[in-house]
Amino acid sequence: MSQPLAERMRPRTLDQYIGQRHLVGEGAVLRKMIESGRITSFILWGPPGVGKTTLAQIIANRLETPFYTLSAVTSGVKDVRDVIEKASKGRFFNENSPILFIDEIHRFSKSQQDSLLGAVERGVVTLIGATTENPSFEVIRPLLSRCQLYVLKSLEKEDLLQLLHRAITEDVFLKERQITLKETGAILRYSGGDARKLLNILELVVESANAGEVVITDELVVNRLQQNPLAYDKDGEMHYDIISAFIKSIRGSDPDAALYWMARMIEGGEDPQFIARRMVISAAEDIGLANPNALLLANAAFDAVMKIGWPEGRIPLAECAVYLATSPKSNSAYMGIANALQLVKQTGNQPVPLHLRNASTQLMADLGYSDGYKYAHDYPGHFVSQQFMPDALQHERLWHAQRHTPSEEKLYQRMIQCWGKRFEEE
């Protein structure tokens, strides 16, 4: 049984490697390191099918040093320690450190990653990790600090076309067929910048064609695939990119874009509760006091999704997304709590003024707890001026009204009425 086309076309040298010119092109940092014969530990981060594993294998072929491979899916702490022990025993004086390649390193637990630290730090092994996830979220900080990080990009149109032409002219099986690339729009679109997916589609189309000439058209590709394999992984990097685009579209008051990115998530199988949760956050963070009803509607949409499920749940989610996107925006509450947290970190545990303390015992009352406190409801308008901040911070301002919306302007005017110059904005 022959290997899949993607495996047959896997590059063996840097000259055969397609894409990532910013890393392996002439004079690029990674190419220089490989050509020098000495590499330091690094992590390759990028979407699926862009050449992370291939690059590690090219390094293995290029450098004359032991090369060990572990998969984070099937390996445990014991496997890591066994490899490290083999590497330390097999290394000779003044020889390059053995290379340990860990595929899908983001799936390693904290304890598994911890077990690597000492060996990487002492140079027992040179670590090459591959991940589709943001390493700042998935790789522990001490290990990340000991590795260079190289970001791989989705392959560009020119890279994919080069790969297609190379496959039909150089592959041992495909070059025996008469293959014409009449149209490439569909196959490029469905590949989503993923070389493995591109070659899998090409192989599927060719194998399903009759003997003789194969003319690849957009219609042929669509018919063979039957459905659109959307480039969305709810557990991967795309998950974070699309939810980010969704929230930024709401913040930017673009309901069309908000609905588009929501549709991408729905079609990709995203958890509806995740979408609803993020809209509750957006309602408080981005709309805030400019339209307090937004938070109520976001909560209602969340509840509705929980009650009615899928697919009808898309309707209240869409209603909420449009409402949030078209609402006026204010992040004054969000900024206010951020300012307050920063002030607490800077000033520490300031004492509570005596008049604000709770005099729950006679001793506390004798010590002056609650003495001088003014009960607001006993005064006209249910307000009386008094100090509520700690003594050392009584002149600090944390909440700043954003007066471009009627609702927040109303709140601002009330604060001016109560506090006068203290709340005046320049």
Side-chain angles (χ1 to χ4, degrees):
M1 189 176 191
S2 64
Q3 292 179 312
L5 175 61
E7 191 59 35
R8 298 198 304 268
M9 290 300 300
R10 189 182 292 276
R12 302 292 186 264
T13 67
L14 282 181
D15 291 334
Q16 296 175 340
Y17 191 83
I18 293 176
Q20 315 308 330
R21 286 178 287 275
H22 63 295
L23 294 179
V24 297
E26 290 298 328
V29 56
L30 202 48
R31 189 183 190 104
K32 283 184 176 180
M33 192 190 304
I34 295 168
E35 290 178 342
S36 73
R38 303 189 71 89
I39 64 169
T40 58
S41 294
F42 60 85
I43 293 175
L44 300 170
W45 171 31
V50 296
K52 299 184 294 295
T53 303
T54 297
L55 194 52
Q57 292 179 350
I58 289 174
I59 293 172
N61 294 335
R62 180 67 183 261
L63 303 182
E64 295 180 357
T65 183
F67 189 89
Y68 300 94
T69 300
L70 289 176
S71 171
V73 178
T74 58
S75 304
V77 172
K78 183 179 182 300
D79 299 296
V80 175
R81 289 174 177 162
D82 287 346
V83 167
I84 291 173
E85 185 177 354
K86 289 179 185 176
S88 60
K89 289 181 178 179
R91 184 184 179 191
F92 295 101
F93 180 74
N94 208 29
E95 186 181 55
N96 285 341
S97 299
I99 294 171
L100 172 58
F101 174 66
I102 300 180
D103 196 16
E104 300 188 88
I105 194 172
H106 59 275
R107 297 199 180 194
F108 258 9
S109 66
K110 182 179 183 299
S111 61
Q112 289 171 309
Q113 294 184 38
D114 281 335
S115 66
L116 290 167
L117 274 175
V120 173
E121 192 168 40
R122 298 193 309 272
V124 174
V125 295
T126 298
L127 174 66
I128 301 178
T131 177
T132 57
E133 302 294 326
N134 189 329
S136 60
F137 298 143
E138 306 294 342
V139 178
I140 59 174
R141 188 176 298 276
L143 185 58
L144 194 58
S145 69
R146 289 161 174 79
C147 299
Q148 294 292 321
L149 176 63
Y150 299 115
V151 180
L152 282 73
K153 305 172 183 177
S154 295
L155 297 184
E156 298 175 355
K157 178 181 178 181
E158 292 73 18
D159 299 325
L160 296 171
L161 288 174
Q162 182 183 351
L163 183 56
L164 277 176
H165 285 289
R166 180 180 291 180
I168 64 177
T169 58
E170 297 181 11
D171 177 67
V172 63
F173 296 112
L174 296 192
K175 69 181 181 181
E176 300 300 323
R177 303 287 301 267
Q178 290 180 287
I179 301 174
T180 302
L181 293 171
K182 184 176 180 181
E183 296 173 331
T184 58
I187 195 170
L188 294 181
R189 183 170 69 252
Y190 290 150
S191 72
D194 182 328
R196 188 184 306 110
K197 188 179 291 185
L198 178 83
L199 293 175
N200 287 343
I201 295 172
L202 175 62
E203 189 170 33
L204 171 66
V205 171
V206 173
E207 287 182 350
S208 61
N210 296 326
E213 185 180 9
V214 181
V215 179
I216 294 180
T217 64
D218 292 346
E219 182 181 4
L220 177 64
V221 171
V222 171
N223 288 339
R224 292 294 183 267
L225 290 181
Q226 296 298 315
Q227 60 179 350
N228 183 349
L230 289 171
Y232 182 88
D233 177 3
K234 64 180 178 180
D235 297 317
E237 176 67 18
M238 187 70 74
H239 162 89
Y240 298 103
D241 288 344
I242 290 187
I243 192 64
S244 174
F246 174 62
I247 294 301
K248 287 173 180 173
S249 298
I250 290 175
R251 185 180 299 141
S253 299
D254 188 334
D256 293 334
L259 288 173
Y260 169 79
W261 295 118
M262 176 181 284
R264 284 283 298 273
M265 289 187 284
I266 291 171
E267 283 297 304
E270 183 59 83
D271 182 356
Q273 292 184 44
F274 174 75
I275 302 173
R277 256 195 319 270
R278 293 307 299 263
M279 287 200 291
V280 171
I281 296 169
S282 177
E285 177 181 343
D286 295 316
I287 290 87
L289 295 171
N291 181 7
N293 285 332
L295 184 57
L296 301 178
L297 185 65
N299 268 306
F302 189 101
D303 290 341
V305 169
M306 296 292 289
K307 290 174 182 175
I308 65 179
W310 225 229
E312 289 81 1
R314 75 190 189 282
I315 303 169
L317 286 184
E319 178 185 349
C320 182
V322 171
Y323 186 81
L324 298 185
T326 55
S327 286
K329 305 297 188 293
S330 170
N331 68 342
S332 67
Y334 171 76
M335 295 301 296
I337 189 59
N339 293 337
L341 288 169
Q342 184 62 31
L343 183 62
V344 168
K345 290 175 183 177
Q346 291 174 346
T347 59
N349 296 325
Q350 294 291 319
V352 177
L354 283 176
H355 68 283
L356 297 182
R357 299 188 190 186
N358 182 30
S360 56
T361 68
Q362 186 58 49
L363 175 60
M364 290 177 174
D366 292 342
L367 292 174
Y369 282 32
S370 199
D371 186 30
Y373 171 67
K374 300 173 184 176
Y375 187 58
H377 298 296
D378 289 340
Y379 293 85
H382 299 265
F383 172 81
V384 61
S385 179
Q386 61 186 317
Q387 179 188 327
F388 291 99
M389 290 285 278
D391 292 343
L393 305 176
Q394 59 182 295
H395 299 299
E396 292 286 342
R397 283 290 317 284
L398 300 175
W399 178 70
H400 297 273
Q402 295 174 3
R403 302 172 55 194
H404 58 279
T405 61
S407 59
E408 199 152 349
E409 173 66 16
K410 186 176 180 180
L411 299 178
Y412 171 73
Q413 292 301 333
R414 170 163 165 72
M415 290 300 95
I416 293 295
Q417 181 184 354
C418 292
W419 295 102
K421 291 185 177 181
R422 175 186 160 192
F423 269 84
E424 286 184 358
E425 301 284 356
E426 294 181 359

